[in-house]
Amino acid sequence: MKRILLLLLLLALALPARAQDAMIEALPGLGGGFGAQATAVERLGALGDPRALPVLRALADGRLLRGADGGLLIREGDQLLDAATGAAVPRPEAEPARININNRVRVALRGALGRLQIVSPDPAERLAAAEGVFRMRSAENLPLLEAALTREAVPRIRERLELALGASRLASEDLEAKRAGIAALGASASPEARAVLLEARAANAALLPEIEAAVAAIDRRLQLRQAAETLFQGLSLGSVLLLAALGLAVTFGVMGVINMAHGEFVMLGAYTTVVVQDLTRDIPWLAPWSLPLAVPAAFLVTALIGAAMERGLIRHLYGRPLETLLLTFGVGMMIQQAVRLTFGAQNREVISPAWMQGTLMLPGDIAVTQNRLWILAFSLVVLALVVAAIRFTRFGLEMRAVTQRRAIASSMGIRTGRVDALTFAFGSGIAGIAGVALSQIDNVSPNLGTGYIIDSFLVVVFGGVGSLAGTLIGAFSLGIINKVLEPWAGAVLAKVFVLVAVMIFIQRRPRGLFPQKGRAAEA
Amino acid sequence: MTRSFTLTRRAALAGFAGALAAPGIKPSMAQAAPIKVGVLHSLSGTMAISETALRDTVLMMVEHQNSKGGLLGRRLEAVVVDPASNWPLFAEKARELLQVHRVDVTFGCWTSVSRKSVLPVFEELNGMLFYPVQYEGEEESKNIFYTGAAPNQQAIPAVEYLMSDDGGGAKRIALLGTDYVYPRTTNRILRGFLNSKGIGNADIMEEYTPFGHSDWQGIVARVKRFASEGKKTAIVSTINGDANVPFYRELGNQGIKAEDIPCVAFSVGEEELAGIDTRPLVGHLAAWNYFMSVQSPANTEFLNLWRAYIKNPRRVTNDPMEATYTGFNMWAQAVTQARTTAVDAVRPAVIGQKFAAPAGYTEEMLPNHHLSKPVMIGEIQADGQFNIVWKTPNAVPAENWSQFIPENANRRRG
């Protein structure tokens, strides 16, 4: 704080009196209406006076206040500074009012702060500054940007600076500069650059062919990128379907139990996440790990409930699918109502850790959202674990033996009842794990599960009952088909189309993509 | 003529009966049969996020009125039912309120589809419903009082603001909504309005999603693409219920900033934002007729009442709660004036009632059963509250039949 003050003082001494006057003159506008504020911000940005930086930052953060006498004050911690001089002032009797801004002022601020922060030592600030200056599209920024480009070493910031330079050149009066600007913008794959070019059409009728060519070039690159993004969205939806369906692939696919309460196990997993987060909230070293912690917790909770359900109810109804369906449907409703009574009907908030927020830029400017990327990776890990458990463990071997030839497995000394319970618990536990992941992208409410039950059955049946590979391929192909159709048909119709397509497919191949072969299939 | 005569006579009879009965029950208010207030809001399902607070508001008002000695010397009693965001169930529950519980007045509904579902029931059984949410208009029933905004009190001024200098001068509009009657009708009105302002259909994008939609990545990406045509673009959202949470999360994750593509919502208030991290959303807008941040003596009174009742400092107030509060007060005034709770006598008394609403303006119930209300536009702040950036100087009378729907031309003239 002191250092900033000292710097401000030195600057005030060093600057010629006229510049100081211009800044002081522009300041009161910041306390006016939105129009006056925007004008004042633009003036301060154009002056390039670094003393305006703390004032503009304060305005952007809501720390600029209006004193009772109309003077502007900056709140810095629990101190008040005079906006014009930067000197600390005693706290006035009347509480100073916060100065509010709107989007128009925010746009002006982004440009002005961009001009002032383009020399910042912090790369994140420089990147934001390049974005801000880019959106100003003003020829006045040319010298500033040229100077910044000679200094800049970070490729990502350079890229944005080039774009900003291109946009500024396009806004200049010189025809050659305009041409260079169009070329620079056209060399990018940025939708914003495309917007700048299209906007410039009206004012540059003479350059229309060049502009059109540049837009076409961007469009070609964007098309590739859009295809990649649609693919990612499809994979992401597929991973959600896969997670939701994996548990069912075990209980329905392997055991043949039509478990209508499957969605409720997913929901219970999500609520376990809420509980784990509530419990760890006040333990600082544990709180960031609440989500990874919720995974085993959710598995245990839902597996236990699943085992109890199998031992208590379902085992009495083996071989009677209709009764099982009705029974599990009823249990599902009871679980839903129990959760509603315990946690309330309102949605519960789940905290997303910082590493699951925001967008990740892949090479080629392909934007993927972090939370979806994590869920995609998580679904594959869970799938791998399930496959490993079934293939390589003693439990998996017994499970396969019991589902293939119960009588023979039993005569070989396998306790079939215990294996049934464990298998059902295993499938339910996986549904619980899915709930942890889904809590990050969906609303955690007692109804969470009902949204996934149909999709889960769809995936398992489409992929081929009893085949994990089928579940995997089924989930991802349904996800991608859905996302490819969505832009054409809209979210509602795309889903209808997918349903119709699956219906036709099942008519042709009743056993799905990967039908079970051999004796197990006939059993 | 005959009809209005019967009405008056019935009202007079009811008033007379009330006057006769009044001295008898005066000594103790508990002895008289209580006045029953029906509460018809979803307490579960996709709309619970919005409607639960409205139930709390009615319960608060009932308690408050009782602490003031009830109405007409009688105690008020709330009858709460849960239609569970299930539209046909709304009609069943409405019938239950009117026939089994014999309520004197009902406060309820949020979505238009639920209101359309109960409307025939209220008309058939001659009930009285106060509907507290902004809606698409195109409706007028003698059994319903609409205390939320009509399109000319919310949707149209909001889009006008987006097109103004202060709002960013939008020239391209993406209309995103939940797939039911309110968003579709509102967007039809908005399309007519935009066309009349010279914004052609090529500059309008319209998309609908089901209730509770959670996968917004494709739509948000398409809006981004739609915005790269070199014209300032804005989003107008009529997304309802808890689908808003993943929608706003996706806006934040894909980095759509209010400076570039502002999003104005008609069904998102303080209550809906309570479960979202609003820091990436600063500057996105909502249009309402009240915000919790309004500075007015009536709002201070409302807030104090709410805080004392709910006893949770984190619970907020919002526009439909204010509309419920205003509607309840107008009903109470009308009952006092009519000296009875009989629907046919209270109805004419409600019309013309004035109330100094928390919004800071005196609102009046108009003969078309709608209110005159101020229009406000607020920007989302980092703390989940709204900063009011624009408001009308006066309360605007509701036009429930929009001039931007061609079929209404005859009705408006007649």
Side-chain angles (χ1 to χ4, degrees):
Chain A
M1 198 41 246
K2 267 192 184 144
R3 218 184 296 161
I4 297 176
L5 275 177
L6 200 70
L7 194 75
L8 285 177
L9 265 173
L10 281 175
L11 275 168
L13 287 175
L15 276 165
R18 266 191 63 213
Q20 187 185 352
D21 288 346
M23 185 199 134
I24 303 293
E25 270 168 30
L27 272 185
L30 296 179
F34 296 135
Q37 280 181 317
T39 318
V41 169
E42 277 160 15
R43 262 181 78 190
L44 287 171
L47 282 174
D49 186 337
R51 289 172 312 149
L53 191 56
V55 186
L56 293 179
R57 272 197 186 143
L59 182 63
D61 302 344
R63 290 182 292 111
L64 194 67
L65 315 171
R66 191 189 297 107
D69 57 348
L72 299 181
L73 303 166
I74 299 176
R75 182 188 298 131
E76 194 72 64
D78 45 1
Q79 237 185 337
L80 288 179
L81 311 181
D82 186 300
T85 60
V89 292
R91 189 163 281 277
E93 296 219 335
E95 189 61 24
R98 198 184 110 164
I99 296 177
N100 287 322
I101 55 175
N102 74 347
N103 281 330
R104 184 177 172 185
V105 183
R106 242 174 245 122
V107 169
L109 267 173
R110 189 164 61 174
L113 281 172
R115 281 183 58 104
L116 291 169
Q117 290 186 331
I118 209 155
V119 291
S120 160
D122 176 6
E125 275 185 2
R126 286 206 305 279
L127 183 65
E131 296 277 356
V133 175
F134 166 60
R135 279 164 219 269
M136 284 174 81
R137 298 160 204 180
S138 154
E140 281 169 28
N141 294 331
L142 278 173
L144 193 76
L145 286 167
E146 276 158 359
L149 258 171
T150 56
R151 284 189 306 264
E152 191 55 66
V154 184
R156 194 158 166 69
I157 306 178
R158 280 195 71 88
E159 208 176 282
R160 301 314 286 187
L161 283 173
E162 301 270 9
L163 278 187
L165 188 65
S168 303
R169 284 195 170 137
L170 185 55
S172 72
E173 294 300 318
D174 178 35
L175 203 63
E176 276 321 298
K178 277 175 190 276
R179 285 220 168 84
I182 294 171
L185 291 171
S188 74
S190 147
E192 291 90 10
R194 183 177 186 271
V196 171
L197 284 166
L198 287 171
E199 197 183 295
R201 275 182 309 191
N204 298 285
L207 293 168
L208 219 50
E210 274 108 326
I211 294 182
E212 299 288 349
V215 170
I218 296 181
D219 278 346
R220 273 195 301 280
R221 280 177 222 116
L222 276 181
Q223 221 158 27
L224 267 178
R225 196 167 106 185
Q226 272 160 26
E229 280 178 11
T230 308
L231 182 70
F232 174 74
Q233 288 163 13
L235 288 175
S236 156
L237 178 61
S239 69
V240 170
L241 292 175
L242 176 64
L243 273 174
L246 257 182
L248 200 72
V250 174
T251 51
F252 176 54
V254 177
M255 294 179 75
V257 174
I258 299 182
N259 180 15
M260 293 301 283
H262 174 71
E264 274 58 54
F265 286 119
V266 175
M267 181 263 290
L268 282 173
Y271 272 93
T272 311
T273 317
V274 172
V275 172
V276 170
Q277 286 198 338
D278 280 350
L279 290 179
T280 56
R281 184 162 299 166
D282 299 325
I283 312 168
W285 58 273
L286 212 55
W289 299 101
S290 63
L291 211 56
L293 268 178
V295 174
F299 183 87
L300 279 179
V301 168
T302 48
L304 280 176
I305 296 176
M309 189 170 148
E310 200 275 344
R311 281 296 86 183
L313 301 165
I314 293 176
R315 74 179 164 127
H316 304 296
L317 294 172
Y318 279 132
R320 292 158 68 184
L322 251 181
E323 283 89 334
T324 318
L325 188 150
L326 287 176
L327 174 88
T328 50
F329 189 65
V331 171
M333 280 169 42
M334 283 161 68
I335 294 179
Q336 236 187 66
Q337 201 54 38
V339 169
R340 194 168 285 138
L341 290 175
T342 340
F343 293 94
Q346 287 246 300
N347 294 351
R348 293 298 298 259
E349 187 186 355
V350 175
I351 304 149
S352 294
W355 44 270
M356 282 192 80
Q357 289 174 4
T359 310
L360 188 74
M361 283 297 187
L362 297 183
D365 261 3
I366 297 161
V368 296
T369 39
Q370 302 260 34
N371 57 353
R372 300 261 172 192
L373 193 65
W374 277 104
I375 288 173
L376 178 57
F378 182 70
S379 72
L380 295 176
V381 170
V382 174
L383 175 75
L385 287 177
V386 172
V387 171
I390 293 178
R391 280 273 161 82
F392 304 119
T393 64
R394 171 94 199 162
F395 158 66
L397 184 71
E398 290 180 352
M399 184 173 116
R400 279 179 291 149
V402 170
T403 48
Q404 280 170 14
R405 275 291 177 269
R406 178 173 295 270
I408 293 178
S410 175
S411 66
M412 302 289 276
I414 296 173
R415 287 162 62 196
T416 55
R418 186 171 154 271
V419 170
D420 283 336
L422 281 177
T423 311
F424 197 84
F426 182 58
S428 309
I430 294 164
I433 291 182
V436 178
L438 295 183
S439 74
Q440 289 297 313
I441 50 169
D442 208 338
N443 289 309
V444 180
S445 74
N447 308 42
L448 172 76
T450 33
Y452 290 101
I453 183 77
I454 307 284
D455 286 341
S456 307
F457 271 105
L458 198 70
V459 167
V460 174
V461 173
F462 176 65
V465 176
S467 158
L468 283 178
T471 306
L472 171 74
I473 306 287
F476 282 112
S477 45
L478 285 181
I480 292 170
I481 293 171
N482 205 326
K483 284 296 161 185
V484 170
L485 281 177
E486 212 186 83
W488 307 98
V492 183
L493 265 186
K495 228 175 159 184
V496 175
F497 282 143
V498 169
L499 273 173
V500 171
V502 170
M503 270 155 63
I504 295 171
F505 179 84
I506 293 295
Q507 289 281 317
R508 299 266 150 155
R509 298 187 59 170
R511 283 168 183 275
L513 279 175
F514 292 82
Q516 288 284 69
K517 291 190 188 76
R519 280 192 304 183
E522 281 96 52
Chain B
M1 260 339 274
T2 333
R3 191 183 158 85
S4 73
F5 169 71
T6 354
L7 280 186
T8 356
R9 192 175 58 180
R10 204 181 293 164
L13 276 177
F16 180 59
L20 272 184
I25 54 166
K26 215 165 188 179
S28 159
M29 112 186 174
Q31 279 169 4
I35 298 175
K36 288 194 174 176
V37 177
V39 186
L40 185 62
H41 283 299
S42 299
L43 310 177
S44 54
T46 186
M47 291 311 298
I49 179 180
S50 299
E51 291 193 64
T52 311
L54 298 189
R55 172 207 52 186
D56 296 338
T57 311
V58 182
L59 294 182
M60 168 187 90
M61 291 308 293
V62 166
E63 193 188 283
H64 180 60
Q65 196 67 42
N66 282 336
S67 74
K68 291 196 295 189
L71 271 174
L72 308 176
R74 291 161 68 190
R75 209 169 52 80
L76 267 58
E77 184 185 298
V79 183
V80 180
V81 291
D82 177 15
S85 310
N86 174 343
W87 321 134
L89 192 60
F90 263 92
E92 286 174 36
K93 290 290 175 185
R95 192 168 286 281
E96 179 189 325
L97 281 176
L98 289 170
Q99 285 187 321
V100 180
H101 301 292
R102 303 201 161 272
V103 295
D104 297 283
V105 63
T106 303
F107 293 84
C109 299
W110 179 293
T111 62
S112 288
V113 50
S114 66
R115 191 193 62 252
K116 296 265 184 213
S117 155
V118 303
L119 184 140
V121 179
F122 275 91
E123 291 193 340
E124 178 197 329
L125 302 172
N126 197 23
M128 182 181 279
L129 171 70
F130 279 79
Y131 173 66
V133 185
Q134 44 75 25
Y135 81 118
E136 69 282 0
E138 308 305 303
E139 194 180 291
E140 198 170 315
S141 165
K142 72 178 171 60
N143 296 89
I144 302 181
F145 286 100
Y146 306 79
T147 57
N152 75 311
Q153 294 169 313
Q154 186 192 29
I156 297 214
V159 174
E160 262 175 338
Y161 175 80
L162 284 178
M163 291 162 66
S164 73
D165 281 346
D166 264 346
K171 305 245 170 351
R172 253 166 108 77
I173 305 281
L175 304 169
L176 305 183
T178 302
D179 202 359
Y180 74 107
V181 54
Y182 162 67
R184 283 195 180 262
T185 314
T186 304
N187 288 341
R188 191 166 162 231
I189 294 170
L190 286 180
R191 195 178 274 274
F193 170 75
L194 289 169
N195 288 346
S196 80
K197 292 281 169 185
I199 293 188
N201 285 337
D203 286 327
I204 302 173
M205 162 182 172
E206 204 172 331
E207 283 236 24
Y208 296 97
T209 46
F211 273 100
H213 191 67
S214 66
D215 189 353
W216 290 94
Q217 31 176 357
I219 290 173
V220 171
R222 277 203 292 295
V223 169
K224 261 177 140 172
R225 220 168 295 154
F226 177 73
S228 72
E229 289 293 327
K231 290 180 183 170
K232 175 76 181 183
T233 305
I235 304 172
V236 172
S237 154
T238 40
I239 300 163
N240 264 257
D242 56 7
N244 276 300
V245 179
F247 171 66
Y248 278 110
R249 200 180 285 156
E250 192 69 32
L251 278 189
N253 278 343
Q254 293 206 21
I256 290 200
K257 295 224 168 65
E259 292 97 313
D260 300 321
I261 312 176
C263 170
V264 60
F266 299 157
S267 302
V268 176
E270 292 83 350
E271 182 79 10
E272 286 77 12
L273 289 182
I276 314 181
D277 176 12
T278 54
R279 276 168 301 171
L281 305 177
V282 168
H284 287 304
L285 308 127
W288 289 107
N289 312 91
Y290 163 87
F291 286 108
M292 188 179 175
S293 57
V294 164
Q295 307 280 341
S296 77
N299 192 30
T300 313
E301 193 189 325
F302 177 44
L303 290 176
N304 288 341
L305 201 60
W306 173 247
R307 287 184 183 128
Y309 174 79
I310 207 76
K311 294 182 188 68
N312 176 352
R314 281 170 55 197
R315 288 290 295 274
V316 291
T317 60
N318 64 14
D319 177 283
M321 287 165 69
E322 190 246 15
T324 301
Y325 175 81
T326 303
F328 192 99
N329 279 305
M330 284 187 173
W331 170 77
Q333 288 172 10
V335 167
T336 314
Q337 197 177 312
R339 303 180 55 77
T340 168
T341 58
V343 167
D344 286 326
V346 175
R347 183 185 304 124
V350 175
I351 291 170
Q353 285 299 340
K354 292 196 172 93
F355 180 70
Y361 296 70
T362 296
E363 299 181 357
E364 185 183 343
M365 182 58 80
L366 307 171
N368 63 3
H369 282 216
H370 290 65
L371 287 176
S372 63
K373 293 170 89 77
V375 188
M376 304 178 183
I377 290 169
E379 284 186 357
I380 298 174
Q381 303 291 292
D383 60 359
Q385 286 290 317
F386 288 87
N387 168 27
I388 299 165
V389 292
W390 182 87
K391 62 181 172 187
T392 49
N394 299 305
V396 180
E399 277 172 31
N400 50 331
W401 302 104
S402 173
Q403 54 176 305
F404 296 103
I405 289 197
E407 294 91 303
N408 285 343
N410 292 329
R411 198 190 290 275
R412 288 171 59 79
R413 236 178 274 125

